Amino acid sequence: MATVFNGLSFLQQRNSMPKLTGPGPDAAELEQMLQCALRSPDHARLRPWRFISIQGDRRKDFGELLRASLLRRDPDADDAAQEKARNAPLRAPLVIAVLVSLKEHPKVPAWEQRISAGCAAFSLILAAEALNYGAIWRTGAVAEDKQLLRDLGGADNEEFVGFIYVGRPDCNAKPVPTMVSEEFHRAW
Ligand SMILES: Cc1cc2nc3c(=O)[nH]c(=O)nc-3n(C[C@H](O)[C@H](O)[C@H](O)COP(=O)(O)O)c2cc1C
């Protein structure tokens, strides 16, 4: 029998963790995660991804930016909503903003670059789980806020792909749904 790659079960059981706590990855572990993301499929080697890690008290500064983002969208947001936005980054010890950095290329349209950056975001999640952390990909309306992007140092050709929250799981893993591949796959 062919050798079975034991990564299959790892991939099939991947499970996002909505509740995360510290400690988060240290610098060496973060570097390992980034090295995984940097191996994402990438047409023409454009490297169309950027990562901004936010940890420690910087999460509070980021929370203020999220609150400001909320108020731009909804100037009448009540105190509870503002507090929720402000505290959002405190839901994990590490938040990684993943950006796509779009480039003009004759053979690589923007959609390919966005997918490539999405693969990098997913790779961060897989790497986090491989290091025994939990992770979850979040977006929301803030992910389309160009001012927030600029506040984080993003450029005009960049967009958010998501925010990857990483930390120690602080909840029971939900049951992984059993999926029927026939609903999504057919031989042609
Ligand atoms: C692009 C993208 C954006 C997402 N945004 C959010 C979000 O803002 N909030 C959220 O709770 N889940 C969000 N999710 C879903 C979670 O990351 C996760 O997939 C979901 O909780 C289901 O868990 P599972 O991946 O373990 O099945 C997003 C997923 C993707 C791919």
Side-chain angles (χ1 to χ4, degrees), residues 16 27 33 74 94 107 119 122-123 125 162 176:
S16 304
M33 291 168 58
D74 177 9
L94 168 65
K107 289 188 182 163
C119 290
F122 187 43
S123 236
I125 291 176
V176 173

Side-chain angles (χ1 to χ4, degrees), residues 7-180:
L8 284 178
S9 149
F10 171 79
L11 291 172
Q12 290 165 1
Q13 296 302 312
R14 184 204 61 77
N15 206 345
S16 304
M17 289 290 162
K19 290 198 75 181
L20 300 160
T21 188
D26 63 20
E29 290 171 321
L30 175 58
E31 175 60 19
Q32 293 283 358
M33 291 168 58
L34 291 169
Q35 287 298 330
C36 293
L38 293 171
R39 280 303 304 136
S40 298
D42 168 19
H43 194 173
R45 300 203 159 167
L46 293 183
R47 314 312 194 206
W49 42 60
R50 295 289 179 273
F51 310 99
I52 302 169
S53 62
I54 305 164
Q55 304 179 73
D57 280 348
R58 288 301 268 165
R59 294 174 304 156
K60 293 182 185 165
D61 300 332
F62 183 46
E64 287 301 337
L65 295 182
L66 295 184
R67 178 169 160 271
S69 172
L70 170 67
L71 288 172
R72 276 193 293 278
R73 288 190 306 281
D74 177 9
D76 298 325
D78 64 19
D79 288 351
Q82 291 185 44
E83 202 54 20
K84 189 175 174 199
R86 196 209 309 261
N87 288 331
L90 305 180
R91 290 176 293 183
L94 168 65
V95 183
I96 307 171
V98 181
L99 280 55
V100 59
S101 190
L102 294 165
K103 297 172 180 72
E104 289 291 333
H105 190 282
K107 289 188 182 163
V108 189
W111 69 266
E112 291 191 7
Q113 299 178 48
R114 291 189 178 99
I115 287 175
S116 193
C119 290
F122 187 43
S123 236
L124 287 177
I125 291 176
L126 294 176
E129 288 201 17
L131 288 165
N132 286 320
Y133 291 99
I136 186 165
W137 184 335
R138 294 184 188 275
T139 48
V142 292
E144 298 189 47
D145 183 342
K146 284 284 177 195
Q147 181 58 51
L148 179 70
L149 187 84
R150 283 192 288 273
D151 289 342
L152 286 178
D156 287 348
N157 65 322
E158 296 181 335
E159 301 169 0
F160 289 120
V161 165
F163 302 92
I164 308 300
Y165 285 65
V166 185
R168 298 263 167 224
D170 195 24
C171 57
N172 290 326
K174 66 183 174 304
V176 173
T178 304
M179 306 281 275
V180 180

